[in-house]
């Protein structure tokens, strides 16, 4: 599966389906395999270090564990990085980007904020060790939810179309080369086994446009285990259990059976409409997501991927 | 104007959309004229109510309302349509409106500018409140991690207009305008070298065309902000025991209180019902296996019934603390429990 060889993985999906948890689990799984992994969060999000017991996040990679590093992207840091460090235009940076009056303009330039953040990842991807091998075996991005996630992916192209020449145009081209290359960048979409979520996930796939072919995997999150091997047994057995004061318990199993049917249906729809492999991740009954839970998910991914 | 506004907030995946739809339907059944507005970009409320995803109110096709006085209109926020409508309605002249609608930068602003979505939702809400003929407006919000995004949109928009460019344009009038449009501003010309002159020209043209509309935006955004804080509005937090256990619900309630937004209460969704059996099930609780059911099947299923019961008992015990806390922490607010349903609610 090209997921293993991809230089960059972008995780996206509807809001609230568990993208961040999934990203952390994927990253941990890869790191445990001996790969040097950089996991990145977007737009000021900084939740992953906390999952690993760290207090703060940073724009530069910080270590979370063995083979595992994390950074947190913000548009401000990425713009400064690009203009000052890479373009070496410190006075320009002060004049244009550090300038309060210009803020509405900057927020206004379509895709600028998204592009510079992807740009940071582009630069990290290109980093090499002294012996010429890449610094990172894989970069995994916890992408924004559906709407913004799509805009983010389209930002390099938007910037290329918008600008005809100049440093941002050139940068957009380079970033686009990496992110739109199926060999180098794969997209993982997270979903839940609910009708409305599946609907939105299908819509997301449709909106990917030129990135559609790079959708490599769908993870169905929070899947409950089947109560017994064959769901059809319930219809035959249930009538015999009725009327013995077990109604409440039977209702519990009704729920479990219905959820399992729902999950089957969700999986079928996603497989058919997305044309990718769909993997289940179980619902973990826990009050708080921490390293232990991430580790459990990582192990499960280990056996399925 | 006795229209009441109910805003359903909450994290992703708690069943907000379903609760909004159910609430809207029930109010209509009780005889009210209800509008249900979703600002969720994925149009899930439209799906769940069975309507097309356009910005116009459509009556919801349901036989539930056949014998009632009440009506239920539903609509999905169409950002561009709403924005275009405002431009057409408030521009200084039809000519100005046309130029704005044709401007490239406006095209971006009306569809992709971060924050525009939330802001247009507020404009739409305001329109429905003032123009519409409804007793209730139910607003279903997007499942953002930060539920406050859309709430603060009106004020952020108003603040933007006092700031930087807008401030210069609106206070210095033509002089400020010349500063930007002349392009002799070093900052502007520097930026235009980086991102292309066309962009900057489009942007400056947009700002100058839009100048007359700014005041209206600012006024309306302040009006909406006032409306959100008035007695006509109630915020309902939709959450589940699982999410509430993570303190997010609490934080959100604190935030609402701090912002002085009127709290209507909490809907605690998917609560595990109180089990009548408090002990685990034993083999003697089950009837004997009927001859026609094979033993392995019977064993597997009865075992599943026993295990499901134990799990539900454990979950109920787990949730009890959270449920109690939700009931007491917001001492002035009601808290409704909605039990876990057998099937996905449609």
């Amino acid at each position: 599966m090209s997921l293993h060889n991809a230089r960059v993985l972008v995780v996206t999906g509807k809001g609230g389906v568990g993208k961040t948890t999934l990203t952390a689990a994927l990253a941990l799984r890869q790191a445990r395999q001996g790969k040097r992994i950089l996991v990145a969060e977007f737009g000021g999000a900084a939740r992953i270090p906390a999952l690993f017991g760290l207090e703060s996040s940073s724009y530069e990679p910080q270590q979370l564990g063995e083979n595992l590093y994390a950074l947190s992207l913000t548009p401000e840091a990425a713009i400064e990085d690009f203009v000052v460090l890479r373009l070496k235009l410190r006075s320009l940076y002060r004049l244009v980007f550090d300038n309060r009056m210009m803020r509405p303009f900057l927020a206004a330039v379509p895709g600028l904020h998204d592009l510079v953040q992807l740009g940071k990842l582009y630069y990290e991807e290109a980093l090499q060790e002294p012996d010429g091998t890449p610094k990172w075996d894989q970069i995994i991005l916890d992408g924004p939810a559906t709407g913004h996630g799509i805009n983010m992916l389209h930002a390099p192209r938007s910037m290329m179309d918008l600008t005809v020449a100049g440093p941002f145009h050139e940068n957009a081209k380079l970033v686009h080369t990496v992110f739109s290359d199926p060999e180098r960048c794969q997209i993982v979409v997270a979903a839940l086994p609910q009708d409305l979520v599946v609907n939105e996930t299908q819509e997301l796939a449709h909106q990917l446009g030129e990135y559609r072919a790079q959708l490599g995997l769908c993870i169905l999150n929070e899947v409950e285990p089947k109560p017994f091997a064959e769901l059809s047994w319930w219809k035959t057995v249930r009538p015999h259990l009725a009327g013995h004061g077990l109604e409440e318990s039977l209702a519990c199993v009704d729920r479990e059976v219905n959820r399992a049917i729902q999950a089957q249906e969700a999986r079928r729809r996603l497989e058919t409409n997305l044309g990718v492999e769909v993997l289940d991740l179980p619902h973990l009954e826990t009050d708080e997501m921490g390293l232990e839970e991430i580790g459990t998910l990582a192990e499960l991914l280990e056996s399925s991927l | 104007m006795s229209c009441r506004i109910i805003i359903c907030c909450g994290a992703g995946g708690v069943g907000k959309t379903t609760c909004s739809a159910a609430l809207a339907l029930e109010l209509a059944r009780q005889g009210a004229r209800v509008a249900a507005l979703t600002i969720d970009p994925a149009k899930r409320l439209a799906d769940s109510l069975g309507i097309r995803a356009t910005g116009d109110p459509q009556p919801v096709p349901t036989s539930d309302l056949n014998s009632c006085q009440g009506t239920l209109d539903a609509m999905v926020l169409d950002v561009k349509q709403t924005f275009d409508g405002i431009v057409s309605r408030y521009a200084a002249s039809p000519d100005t409106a046309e130029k704005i609608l044709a401007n490239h930068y406006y095209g971006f602003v009306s569809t992709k500018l971060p924050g525009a979505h939330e802001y247009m939702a507020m404009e739409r809400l305001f329109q429905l409140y003032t123009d519409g003929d409804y007793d209730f407006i139910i607003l279903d919000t997007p499942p953002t991690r930060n539920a406050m995004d859309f709430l603060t949109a009106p004020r952020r928009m108003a603040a933007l207009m006092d700031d930087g460019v807008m401030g210069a344009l609106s206070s210095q009038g033509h002089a400020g305008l010349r500063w930007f449009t002349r392009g002799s501003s070093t900052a502007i010309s520097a930026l235009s070298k980086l991102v292309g002159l066309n962009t900057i020209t489009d942007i400056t043209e947009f700002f100058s065309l839009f100048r007359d509309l700014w005041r209206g935006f600012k006024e309306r955004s302040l009006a909406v902000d006032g409306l959100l804080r008035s007695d006509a509005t109630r915020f309902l937090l939709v959450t589940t025991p699982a999410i509430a256990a993570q303190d997010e619900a609490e934080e959100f309630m604190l935030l609402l209180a701090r912002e002085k937004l009127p709290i209507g209460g909490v809907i605690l969704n998917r609560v595990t019902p109180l089990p009548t059996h408090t002990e685990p099930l034993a083999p003697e609780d089950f009837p004997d296996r009927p001859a026609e059911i094979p033993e392995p099947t019977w064993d597997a299923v009865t075992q599943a019934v026993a295990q499901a019961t134990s799990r539900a008992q454990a979950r109920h015990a787990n949730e009890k603390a959270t449920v109690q806390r939700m009931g007491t922490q917001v001492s002035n607010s009601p808290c409704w429990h909605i039990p876990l349903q057998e099937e996905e609610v449609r």
Side-chain angles (χ1 to χ4, degrees):
Chain A
M1 179 189 303
S2 40
L3 229 53
H4 293 294
N5 302 326
R7 300 286 306 143
V8 180
L9 290 183
V10 176
V11 180
T12 186
K14 177 189 157 308
V17 298
K19 283 184 297 305
T20 303
T21 315
L22 173 62
T23 305
L26 267 173
L28 185 59
R29 185 249 175 193
Q30 301 286 68
R32 281 178 178 172
Q33 288 218 319
K35 300 201 178 140
R36 224 165 125 89
I37 303 293
L38 174 64
V39 66
E41 294 184 85
F42 200 84
R47 296 161 61 198
I48 292 182
L51 290 173
F52 287 82
L54 268 76
E55 298 242 317
S56 63
S57 61
S58 79
Y59 179 73
E60 294 302 334
Q62 67 169 334
Q63 188 157 20
L64 298 182
E66 193 174 342
N67 290 325
L68 187 57
Y69 292 73
L71 63 78
S72 177
L73 297 162
T74 61
E76 295 77 23
I79 288 182
E80 186 176 357
D81 191 7
F82 181 61
V83 179
V84 176
L85 290 175
R86 312 222 178 244
L87 295 182
K88 308 224 192 301
L89 300 171
R90 183 177 289 280
S91 44
L92 180 77
Y93 172 75
R94 279 209 215 99
L95 174 69
V96 177
F97 298 99
D98 210 15
N99 178 346
R100 214 187 116 162
M101 288 284 271
M102 293 297 289
R103 205 177 296 158
F105 275 100
L106 293 176
V109 178
L112 177 65
H113 282 172
D114 290 343
L115 174 67
V116 290
Q117 292 179 76
L118 291 180
K120 167 66 168 168
L121 295 183
Y122 163 81
Y123 286 115
E124 288 291 335
E125 193 275 333
L127 284 176
Q128 287 180 348
E129 299 289 287
D131 63 2
T133 54
K135 178 175 182 190
W136 306 110
D137 290 313
Q138 196 169 65
I139 298 176
I140 307 181
L141 171 62
D142 179 16
T146 315
H148 189 180
I150 299 287
N151 286 342
M152 177 196 77
L153 287 170
H154 292 313
R157 165 72 68 189
S158 297
M159 187 58 89
M160 279 164 65
D161 290 344
L162 193 71
T163 58
V164 175
F168 280 99
H169 178 85
E170 293 309 313
N171 185 254
K173 258 169 54 182
L174 291 172
V175 173
H176 184 259
T177 313
V178 172
F179 278 85
S180 65
D181 180 357
E183 299 287 312
R184 285 193 272 187
C185 175
Q186 287 281 305
I187 299 170
V188 177
V189 68
L192 292 178
Q194 290 165 21
D195 239 16
L196 298 180
V197 177
V198 172
N199 290 349
E200 180 171 334
T201 309
Q202 286 170 196
E203 210 175 295
L204 186 164
H206 178 71
Q207 286 169 10
L208 282 173
E210 64 166 312
Y211 290 90
R212 184 67 179 79
Q214 291 163 254
L215 183 56
L217 177 68
C218 175
I219 303 268
L220 203 51
N221 230 352
E222 306 210 8
V223 175
E224 311 267 358
K226 282 199 301 198
F228 27 79
E230 292 299 324
L231 295 174
S232 55
W233 289 344
W234 190 234
K235 231 167 62 174
T236 17
V237 174
R238 198 195 196 283
H240 298 289
L241 294 171
H244 286 89
L246 296 167
E247 308 327 301
E248 222 172 56
S249 304
L250 299 185
C252 288
V253 180
D254 283 336
R255 275 197 288 277
E256 293 186 358
V257 169
N258 286 329
R259 273 206 293 264
I261 294 175
Q262 200 189 12
Q264 272 176 349
E265 181 59 13
R267 196 175 307 117
R268 186 198 64 81
R269 283 179 63 197
L270 289 168
E271 270 167 359
T272 313
N273 288 297
L274 267 46
V276 297
E277 186 174 347
V278 179
L279 282 185
D280 290 356
L281 271 189
H283 175 78
L284 292 184
E285 195 93 37
T286 174
D287 279 341
E288 219 176 292
M289 268 298 163
L291 188 52
E292 205 184 305
E293 288 75 21
I294 304 291
T296 309
L297 292 174
E299 268 162 38
L300 291 162
L301 284 170
E302 179 63 48
S303 41
S304 343
L305 273 176
Chain B
M1 175 75 61
S2 60
C3 177
R4 310 298 296 273
I5 298 173
I6 301 178
I7 304 185
C8 298
C9 319
V14 297
K16 216 165 11 129
T17 304
T18 313
C19 285
S20 305
L23 181 60
L25 192 58
E26 182 54 28
L27 287 168
R29 268 204 217 112
Q30 289 181 14
R33 296 161 303 171
V34 183
L37 170 65
T38 184
I39 61 178
D40 185 339
K43 307 173 173 74
R44 291 167 314 140
L45 186 58
D47 280 354
S48 83
L49 288 170
I51 58 167
R52 290 180 337 273
T54 79
D56 306 309
Q58 306 157 58
V60 172
T62 167
S63 56
D64 282 358
L65 297 177
N66 278 352
S67 51
C68 301
Q69 293 260 0
T71 56
L72 175 57
D73 285 349
M75 71 218 81
V76 175
L77 176 75
D78 185 323
V79 176
K80 184 148 181 34
Q81 185 189 28
T82 308
F83 213 143
D84 286 355
I86 292 173
V87 169
S88 302
R89 188 166 164 175
Y90 294 104
S93 68
D95 192 49
T96 309
E98 220 178 278
K99 286 208 184 93
I100 294 176
L101 295 176
N103 179 287
H104 276 140
Y105 179 61
Y106 171 74
F108 163 73
V109 164
S110 58
T111 50
K112 293 198 184 137
L113 184 67
H117 197 92
E118 290 92 350
Y119 182 71
M120 280 305 131
M122 292 298 115
E123 285 271 6
R124 189 74 177 102
L125 179 67
F126 194 63
Q127 279 169 8
L128 289 171
Y129 180 78
T130 48
D131 301 346
D133 222 355
Y134 298 108
D135 300 313
F136 286 97
I137 303 172
I138 316 292
L139 178 62
D140 172 36
T141 61
T144 47
R145 176 115 191 119
N146 181 3
M148 293 306 285
D149 276 351
F150 87 91
L151 289 177
T152 54
R155 261 183 306 132
R156 279 186 285 141
M157 201 64 166
L160 182 72
M161 290 170 205
D162 277 333
D163 208 353
V165 172
M166 294 344 129
L169 288 177
S170 49
S171 68
Q172 293 175 37
H174 288 294
L177 198 55
R178 274 202 297 280
W179 185 74
F180 283 101
T181 54
R182 211 176 4 163
S184 63
S185 151
T186 326
I188 296 284
S189 63
L191 183 60
S192 72
K193 286 202 184 73
L194 289 172
V195 301
L197 188 58
N198 281 346
T199 319
I200 301 303
T201 312
D202 273 343
I203 295 177
T204 49
E205 186 194 63
F206 170 79
F207 283 150
S208 76
L209 286 170
F210 223 80
R211 196 161 47 104
D212 297 326
L213 288 160
W214 285 131
R215 198 180 310 125
F217 272 95
K218 184 176 171 183
E219 279 168 8
R220 282 190 313 277
S221 67
L222 288 175
V224 170
D225 200 57
L227 179 61
L228 292 184
R229 288 162 203 287
S230 74
D231 210 36
T233 304
R234 287 293 182 274
F235 285 84
L236 281 183
L237 175 66
V238 182
T239 186
T240 59
I243 302 281
Q246 291 167 39
D247 295 334
E248 266 181 47
E250 211 158 3
E251 273 170 33
F252 188 73
M253 296 303 273
L254 285 173
L255 203 55
L256 284 180
R258 216 170 38 233
E259 295 282 329
K260 300 194 179 34
L261 292 166
I263 299 172
V266 176
I267 295 180
L268 200 53
N269 203 10
R270 303 195 188 131
V271 177
T272 306
L274 174 67
T276 37
H277 284 122
T278 45
E279 297 301 314
L281 289 179
E284 51 265 27
D285 296 314
F286 290 98
D288 291 330
R289 174 175 70 86
E292 67 261 37
I293 310 275
E295 193 172 332
T297 308
W298 184 256
D299 286 347
V301 174
T302 49
Q303 194 173 61
V305 174
Q307 282 172 353
T309 309
S310 303
R311 270 200 293 271
Q313 286 162 348
R315 217 171 22 233
H316 178 86
N318 257 349
E319 286 174 11
K320 209 162 149 190
T322 306
V323 170
Q324 267 175 358
R325 205 179 73 233
M326 289 307 292
T328 56
Q329 80 186 23
V330 274
S331 47
N332 296 326
S333 312
C335 182
W336 297 277
H337 297 179
I338 301 180
L340 206 48
Q341 305 296 310
E342 273 95 55
E343 301 191 337
E344 183 175 9
V345 176
R346 284 180 214 283

